């Protein structure tokens, strides 16, 4: 591996420059206006893959129906393949090239779409999530090819551009390819998360699922003046606040009856995995900038973040939120919240319990206002961390970083993991590149240069370790 590692080190500046080119394309999938830029990002990525002789194909996903009833063309997905040797095993790598919205006015210290290096850190939207990791795979392949070292695996790639918008259309595409492109996959690797700490790498074997809820309350056919109609009507906002305040207590416990019934108890083997994880509660508290965390011990907090469900309130649509006063009674408001669910919890059952609870709360309150609850959901995921896929990744981490990786689960959700596993019946590994302080969905998203370069080496070493397993 030394020639490959040396090539990666020698070309670090060029790899960083290429990441800058990718960051400069504002591929915000949630923006209708920027959808052409999303497609441009896909086409640019395909061109970079073509330079490495990866056989690529753009697969169209069709149209997206917008809430306004408009129709927008979805960006295509890149399917790529390098090698087709029946004597070698096949690795499928997934990543995405779309990003979260970002504006300088949001509180960024730098232009979010201009890669900026400060003290060994690369600031820019998409550096960590997920353009840096996507390019890490291409950098690793380039290093093998330049050093004329035969890749010990067949490689396949699925790079999409709607991950930040619920991977719209991807699940159906993957299922349609399960007997062709996705057939005979031996391992799957997804690099779309982060280390738990700043100093020790990790392998992630579990994710929570998520159920989204939209609670709509309507009190009138038009907005009303509070001076004229205040005290005369049952206000929609009052009903909604009551309902939202009935969901979770001050300690974070969900108040919906039956919601915890299907949560699996923690086994002694699982409990032991948490004890040696590199994680500091005080560092987390300072990074967040809060006064106090919900839990006082490392193990307790991690378990509540990874393997217990939680409920979070996100916002209210239809309410006045701009500076200043506006004495209006909104005719209709929609509260938004989500429940992160864990393995063994069924999304449909969680949605049913929650909807029934909200309807009962509204009935008990006695308001005549119209209530409408709509939902969507995706399941949780857990993998076999004793699989040879994980064993190979552990060896690669030891090779690059000199330490054993932490074995972690995550509180977030990556729906594509579930669909990949379902379409292939193959072990899935999450192999992150960036650290816990990269702030991938926040202001000042960054990726340390050391993490970018060492992460590229990690992918190269992982390929090498998988290749040793033979067919």
């Amino acid at each position: 591996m030394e020639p490959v590692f040396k090539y990666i080190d020698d070309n670090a500046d060029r790899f960083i420059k290429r990441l800058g080119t990718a960051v400069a394309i504002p591929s915000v999938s949630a923006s209708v206006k920027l959808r052409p830029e999303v497609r441009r990002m896909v086409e640019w990525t395909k061109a970079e893959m073509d330079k490495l002789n990866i056989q690529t194909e753009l697969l169209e996903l069709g149209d997206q129906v917008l809430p306004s009833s408009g129709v927008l063309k979805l960006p295509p997905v890149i399917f790529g393949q390098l090698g087709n040797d029946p004597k070698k095993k096949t690795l499928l790598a997934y990543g995405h090239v779309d990003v979260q919205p970002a504006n300088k006015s949001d509180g960024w210290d730098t232009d979010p779409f201009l890669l900026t290096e400060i003290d060994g850190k690369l600031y820019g939207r998409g550096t960590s999530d997920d353009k840096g990791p996507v390019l890490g795979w291409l950098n690793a392949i380039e290093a093998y090819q330049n050093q004329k070292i035969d890749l010990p695996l067949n490689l396949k790639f699925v790079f999409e551009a709607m991950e930040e918008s619920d991977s719209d259309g991807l699940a159906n595409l993957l299922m349609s390819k399960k007997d062709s492109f996705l057939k005979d996959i031996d391992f799957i690797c997804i690099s779309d998360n982060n280390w738990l700490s700043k100093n020790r790498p990790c392998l992630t074997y579990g994710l929570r699922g998520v159920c989204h809820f939209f609670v709509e309350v309507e009190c009138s056919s038009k907005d009303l003046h509070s001076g004229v109609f205040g005290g005369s009507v049952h206000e929609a906002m009052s009903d909604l606040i009551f309902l939202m305040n009935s969901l979770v207590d001050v300690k974070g416990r969900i108040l919906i009856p039956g919601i915890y019934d299907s949560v699996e108890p923690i086994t002694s083997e699982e409990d032991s995995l948490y004890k040696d994880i590199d994680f500091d509660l005080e560092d987390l508290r300072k990074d967040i900038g809060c006064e106090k965390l919900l839990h006082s011990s490392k193990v307790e907090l991690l378990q509540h973040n990874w393997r217990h469900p939680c409920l979070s309130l996100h916002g209210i649509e239809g309410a006045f939120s701009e500076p200043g006063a506006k004495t209006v009674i909104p005719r209709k408001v929609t509260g938004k919240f989500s429940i992160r669910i864990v393995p063994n919890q069924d999304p449909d059952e969680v949605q049913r319990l929650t909807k029934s609870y909200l309807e009962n709360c509204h009935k008990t309150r006695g308001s005549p206002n119209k209530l409408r609850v709509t939902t969507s959901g995706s399941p949780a995921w857990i993998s076999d961390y004793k699989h040879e896929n994980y064993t190979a990744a552990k060896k690669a981490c030891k090779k690059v970083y000199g330490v054993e990786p932490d074995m972690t689960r995550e509180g977030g959700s990556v729906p594509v993991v579930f669909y990949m596993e379902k379409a292939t019946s193959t072990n899935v590994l999450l192999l992150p590149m960036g650290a816990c302080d990269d702030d991938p969905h926040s202001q000042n998203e960054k990726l340390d240069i050391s993490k970018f370069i060492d992460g590229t080496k990690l992918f190269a070493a992982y390929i090498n370790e998988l290749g040793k397993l033979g067919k």
Side-chain angles (χ1 to χ4, degrees):
M1 292 305 298
E2 294 310 316
V4 171
F5 286 1
K6 184 177 187 304
Y7 181 86
I8 293 169
D9 284 331
D10 291 345
N11 287 272
D13 289 344
R14 189 169 59 81
F15 291 157
I16 291 169
K17 184 177 180 181
R18 179 160 62 170
L19 178 58
T21 302
V23 167
I25 302 174
S27 51
V28 180
S29 56
S31 169
V32 172
K33 183 177 72 172
L34 292 174
R35 187 58 60 84
E37 294 296 314
V38 180
R39 178 171 284 269
R40 183 162 74 95
M41 184 68 216
V42 171
E43 293 171 348
W44 180 88
T45 305
K46 179 186 184 300
E48 293 298 308
M49 298 170 73
D50 290 342
K51 293 175 185 177
L52 299 171
N53 297 313
I54 300 172
Q55 296 178 351
T56 58
E57 182 182 7
L58 295 184
L59 286 89
E60 299 292 342
L61 292 173
D63 294 331
Q64 176 185 12
V65 180
L66 303 174
S68 62
S69 298
V71 177
L72 187 65
K73 194 171 184 60
L74 288 164
V77 177
I78 305 173
F79 275 27
Q81 182 167 351
L82 185 61
N84 190 27
D85 188 340
K87 296 179 182 178
K88 296 178 180 179
K89 292 196 174 185
T90 301
L91 167 67
L92 172 65
Y94 162 89
H96 67 90
V97 294
D98 63 317
V99 297
Q100 284 280 322
N103 292 290
K104 185 74 159 56
S105 59
D106 295 337
W108 282 71
D109 296 329
T110 62
D111 182 340
F113 296 107
L114 177 65
L115 190 70
T116 305
E117 179 185 342
I118 302 174
D119 297 330
K121 303 178 189 299
L122 301 170
Y123 290 89
R125 179 59 92 214
T127 50
S128 181
D129 183 21
D130 189 37
K131 294 179 179 181
V134 165
L135 291 181
W137 287 110
L138 304 189
N139 297 339
I141 292 168
E142 180 184 317
Y144 270 97
Q145 292 179 344
N146 182 273
Q147 296 303 300
K148 296 182 170 37
I149 298 174
D150 186 40
L151 284 163
L153 291 173
N154 301 313
L155 292 169
K156 290 188 176 183
F157 301 93
V158 173
F159 292 152
E160 67 156 319
M162 283 295 289
E163 194 277 341
E164 302 294 3
S165 299
D166 295 328
S167 294
D168 198 349
L170 183 63
N172 290 337
L173 175 63
L174 292 176
M175 294 308 296
S176 73
K177 297 294 182 180
K178 67 187 182 78
D179 295 322
S180 51
F181 183 81
L182 297 179
K183 187 179 180 181
D184 298 327
I185 300 292
D186 296 295
F187 314 102
I188 296 176
C189 183
I190 295 175
S191 296
D192 188 22
N193 64 317
N194 295 80
W195 296 3
L196 178 64
S197 75
K198 299 175 185 177
N199 303 310
R200 185 185 292 178
C202 70
L203 308 180
T204 303
Y205 64 94
L207 297 164
R208 290 192 291 193
V210 62
C211 293
H212 298 282
F213 296 89
F214 304 88
V215 186
E216 179 185 288
V217 182
E218 184 176 358
C219 67
S220 58
S221 61
K222 59 185 177 181
D223 290 349
L224 304 173
H225 189 299
S226 66
V228 177
F229 297 101
S232 303
V233 296
H234 292 83
E235 298 187 14
M237 181 72 88
S238 298
D239 288 348
L240 180 61
I241 295 299
F242 169 80
L243 293 172
M244 300 279 274
N245 196 45
S246 302
L247 293 167
V248 63
D249 69 16
V250 72
K251 296 296 292 182
R253 184 167 180 81
I254 303 171
L255 300 176
I256 300 165
I259 206 76
Y260 292 98
D261 290 355
S262 57
V263 177
E264 292 182 347
I266 299 174
T267 64
S268 57
E269 180 185 1
E270 180 190 348
D271 193 55
S272 67
L273 293 174
Y274 292 82
K275 293 188 171 77
D276 295 326
I277 287 176
D278 180 23
F279 180 76
D280 186 273
L281 284 178
E282 184 59 16
D283 279 350
L284 175 67
R285 188 195 66 77
K286 289 178 180 177
D287 284 345
I288 294 173
C290 67
E291 290 294 323
K292 185 180 180 181
L293 297 168
L294 271 176
H295 307 285
S296 57
S297 75
K298 175 183 76 173
V299 172
E300 188 181 19
L301 187 138
L302 290 178
Q303 289 180 348
H304 276 84
N305 185 241
W306 295 350
R307 59 103 57 230
H308 291 304
C310 75
L311 188 152
S312 299
L313 307 179
H314 302 304
I316 297 176
E317 183 180 339
F320 177 67
S321 60
E322 298 174 12
K326 183 180 180 182
T327 55
V328 65
I329 299 171
R331 71 174 188 88
K332 182 174 69 176
V333 286
T334 302
K336 303 176 182 182
F337 69 93
S338 67
I339 299 177
R340 298 284 175 170
I341 61 175
V342 295
N344 213 44
Q345 282 189 302
D346 177 54
D348 291 340
E349 177 66 4
V350 169
Q351 292 170 67
R352 185 192 68 78
L353 288 171
T354 305
K355 184 176 180 180
S356 175
Y357 174 69
L358 287 167
E359 289 171 347
N360 286 335
C361 286
H362 187 61
K363 183 177 180 180
T364 300
R365 180 169 167 81
S367 171
N369 290 332
K370 298 174 185 176
L371 173 68
R372 181 169 174 259
V373 181
T374 56
T375 68
S376 64
S378 58
W381 164 79
I382 191 164
S383 186
D384 175 13
Y385 57 82
K386 297 179 182 179
H387 191 275
E388 58 185 359
N389 193 14
Y390 283 78
T391 302
K394 284 182 181 180
K395 291 179 179 178
C397 285
K398 192 72 182 290
K399 176 73 174 175
V400 174
Y401 302 106
V403 297
E404 289 282 335
D406 283 331
M407 300 302 296
T408 68
R409 291 164 70 163
E410 279 202 8
S413 306
V414 185
V416 72
V417 177
F418 174 78
Y419 300 124
M420 285 283 194
E421 191 174 68
K422 184 177 180 181
T424 63
S425 299
T426 300
N427 181 272
V428 182
L429 161 74
L430 265 64
L431 184 64
M433 174 184 278
C436 65
D437 60 344
D438 283 352
D439 292 329
H441 281 205
S442 188
Q443 297 89 347
N444 301 319
E445 177 184 347
K446 60 86 179 170
L447 178 65
D448 295 356
I449 292 176
S450 62
K451 300 295 190 297
F452 183 42
I453 301 307
D454 286 345
T456 296
K457 293 177 183 177
L458 175 64
F459 294 168
Y462 170 60
I463 289 171
N464 184 59
E465 294 295 337
L466 286 179
K468 292 178 182 179
L469 297 174
K471 188 65 176 175

